[in-house]
């Protein structure tokens, strides 16, 4: 089973990289960009066929390692 | 006093802090105390001899993969460090060591990318916020010291309610300040909230700081403002 974990900064947390990307996009002429936030996507392949168990296992991975929940939110996306 | 310096793949200030502590121990020995040298403990070791102080040194453990300190916080040796910290063994984390301590949950808050996105490597002025700790007993509260920083992710943040609790309990150890002691934006090298450069845990037995006191702990290095931190620790723990 394949999964994608999206890790994003919490709304209040300053994102200087997102700001720099925003600035660079504006410099390229993309003047409709209003806000950029940068995060990461982690692709994971699991030897698990039960979606509920996979989701629970991924949730624990996020809490323990993949996200720092002091500053980041995470979202789990399961394929199929 | 016995001390251990934990060495991760990518640590690069482990020897520096070992020397700074060994010299502090030697100074203590001249006054009749015991000398010695901190032992180095590899990250894969899940156990090591009983020590009075554990140091997590600066560097780029595990190549800063995922987040600075995130992988190191999960390494075998950290389980043991956390167990001992829970029993009250003092832990000092410098730079990457501070990042590891926040990732391990031993210190509140988090360290994120510097506000100006640049790696900052220069001397900064720190204000000692309290002398009421093992680590800062040899400094005067309010004193200003000069210590170098060298990091890309030293921008300290914490939730407002965490800050309130930390301020109330005197858990802020150091703040970036102007030479006259005022807290200014210009004196803050990385955008840290409330100019925070170092924090304690609730019992003040764990300290994390971004600046490198071990880099200015002898005259040959251009200054000794970092020395009282090590002398104070050796004195208190011997």
């Amino acid at each position: 089973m394949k999964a994608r974990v999206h890790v994003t900064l919490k709304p209040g947390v300053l994102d200087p990289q997102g700001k720099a990307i925003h600035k660079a996009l504006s410099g390229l002429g993309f003047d409709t960009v209003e806000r950029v936030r940068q995060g990461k996507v982690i692709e994971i392949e699991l030897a698990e066929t039960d979606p509920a168990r996979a989701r629970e296992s991924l949730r624990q991975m996020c809490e323990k390692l993949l996200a720092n929940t002091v500053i980041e939110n995470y979202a789990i996306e399961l394929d199929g | 006093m016995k001390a251990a310096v934990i060495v991760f793949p990518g640590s690069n200030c482990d020897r520096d802090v070992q020397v700074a502590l060994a010299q502090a121990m030697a100074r203590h020995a001249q006054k009749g105390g015991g000398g010695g040298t901190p032992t180095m403990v590899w990250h894969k070791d899940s156990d090591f001899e009983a020590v009075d102080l554990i140091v997590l040194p600066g560097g780029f453990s595990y190549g800063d993969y995922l987040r600075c300190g995130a992988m190191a916080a999960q390494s075998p040796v950290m389980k043991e460090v956390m167990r001992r910290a829970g029993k009250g063994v003092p832990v000092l984390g410098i730079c990457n060591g501070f990042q590891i301590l926040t990732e391990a949950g031993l210190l509140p808050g988090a360290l994120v990318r510097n506000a100006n996105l640049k790696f900052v490597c220069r001397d900064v002025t720190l204000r000692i916020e309290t002398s009421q700790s093992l680590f800062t007993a040899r400094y005067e509260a309010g004193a200003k010291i000069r210590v170098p920083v060298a990091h890309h992710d030293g921008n300290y943040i914490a939730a407002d309610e965490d800050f309130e609790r930390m301020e109330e309990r005197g858990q802020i150890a150091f703040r970036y300040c102007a030479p006259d002691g005022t807290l200014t934006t210009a004196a803050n090298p990385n955008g840290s909230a409330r100019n925070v450069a170092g924090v304690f845990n609730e019992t003040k037995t764990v300290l994390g700081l971004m600046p490198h006191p071990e880099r200015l702990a002898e005259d040959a290095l251009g200054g000794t403002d970092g020395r009282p931190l090590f002398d104070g620790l050796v004195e208190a723990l011997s």
Side-chain angles (χ1 to χ4, degrees):
Chain A
M1 184 168 268
K2 283 188 180 178
R4 265 183 303 279
V5 172
H6 301 261
V7 181
T8 49
L9 284 173
K10 285 185 174 174
V13 178
L14 188 76
D15 179 14
Q17 293 179 99
K19 270 191 183 163
I21 294 166
H22 185 176
K23 216 171 157 188
L25 287 171
S26 303
L28 285 167
F30 295 102
D31 47 18
T32 54
V33 178
E34 287 182 335
R35 191 156 177 264
V36 178
R37 301 282 282 172
Q38 186 190 278
K40 39 181 109 97
V41 177
I42 302 163
E43 292 179 339
I44 298 179
E45 289 184 26
L46 287 165
E48 174 65 75
T49 49
D50 179 61
R53 277 205 300 266
R55 197 168 281 280
E56 174 54 21
S57 168
L58 287 158
R59 190 190 64 76
Q60 288 186 26
M61 291 180 208
C62 288
E63 291 287 335
K64 285 184 179 168
L65 179 67
L66 301 180
N68 178 343
T69 53
V70 175
I71 47 169
E72 293 168 329
N73 289 327
Y74 59 85
I76 295 162
E77 195 186 326
L78 275 181
D79 271 1
Chain B
M1 163 189 156
K2 281 189 173 179
V5 177
I6 310 294
V7 185
F8 300 97
S11 293
N12 65 9
C13 302
D14 43 327
R15 300 276 182 95
D16 305 50
V17 78
Q18 184 190 31
V19 169
L21 267 171
Q23 290 186 339
M25 290 177 184
R27 282 190 293 274
H28 188 69
Q30 281 177 352
K31 290 190 282 178
T37 300
T39 49
M40 308 303 259
V41 177
W42 184 235
H43 71 118
K44 283 186 176 167
D45 297 342
S46 48
D47 200 10
F48 50 97
E49 63 171 336
V51 291
D52 309 299
L53 172 72
I54 299 170
V55 182
L56 305 183
F60 301 86
S61 57
Y62 299 86
D64 283 346
Y65 288 178
L66 194 62
R67 295 176 307 276
C68 300
M71 312 302 280
Q74 306 300 327
S75 65
V77 76
M78 277 307 291
K79 285 197 180 66
E80 181 61 14
V81 171
M82 287 167 77
R83 194 185 69 78
R84 294 194 192 187
K87 289 171 115 184
V89 175
V91 181
L92 167 65
I94 300 170
C95 196
N96 189 220
F98 186 12
Q99 295 164 339
I100 295 167
L101 288 171
T102 58
E103 281 285 343
L106 286 174
L107 289 175
L111 292 146
V112 298
R113 184 54 44 102
N114 293 347
N116 67 3
L117 291 173
K118 294 196 174 94
F119 188 97
V120 53
C121 181
R122 63 177 166 89
D123 286 358
V124 296
T125 307
L126 297 182
R127 194 174 77 189
I128 311 292
E129 296 299 292
T130 175
S131 59
Q132 304 291 315
S133 81
L134 280 174
F135 305 91
T136 55
R138 277 284 203 102
Y139 293 107
E140 298 275 327
K144 277 83 70 183
I145 61 169
R146 181 174 63 95
V147 179
V149 290
H151 60 249
H152 209 162
D153 299 78
N155 185 351
Y156 184 78
I157 62 169
D160 283 339
E161 58 266 29
D162 285 339
F163 261 126
E164 272 168 38
R165 203 167 38 226
M166 288 160 69
E167 302 265 18
E168 218 167 84
R169 293 180 174 158
Q171 284 177 251
I172 312 292
F174 308 102
R175 289 186 211 261
Y176 302 109
C177 69
D180 67 358
T182 54
L183 305 177
T184 62
T185 307
N188 184 343
N190 51 32
S192 286
R194 305 186 188 202
N195 280 41
V196 166
V199 301
F200 299 113
N201 66 342
E202 284 183 19
T203 53
K204 291 192 185 176
T205 49
V206 178
L207 168 69
L209 75 165
M210 286 313 295
H212 287 273
E214 79 280 15
R215 291 194 187 173
L216 273 186
E218 58 182 296
D219 290 323
L221 296 174
T224 56
D225 283 5
R227 188 184 275 189
L229 188 146
F230 301 103
D231 283 339
L233 275 171
V234 171
E235 204 161 90
L237 299 172
S238 290

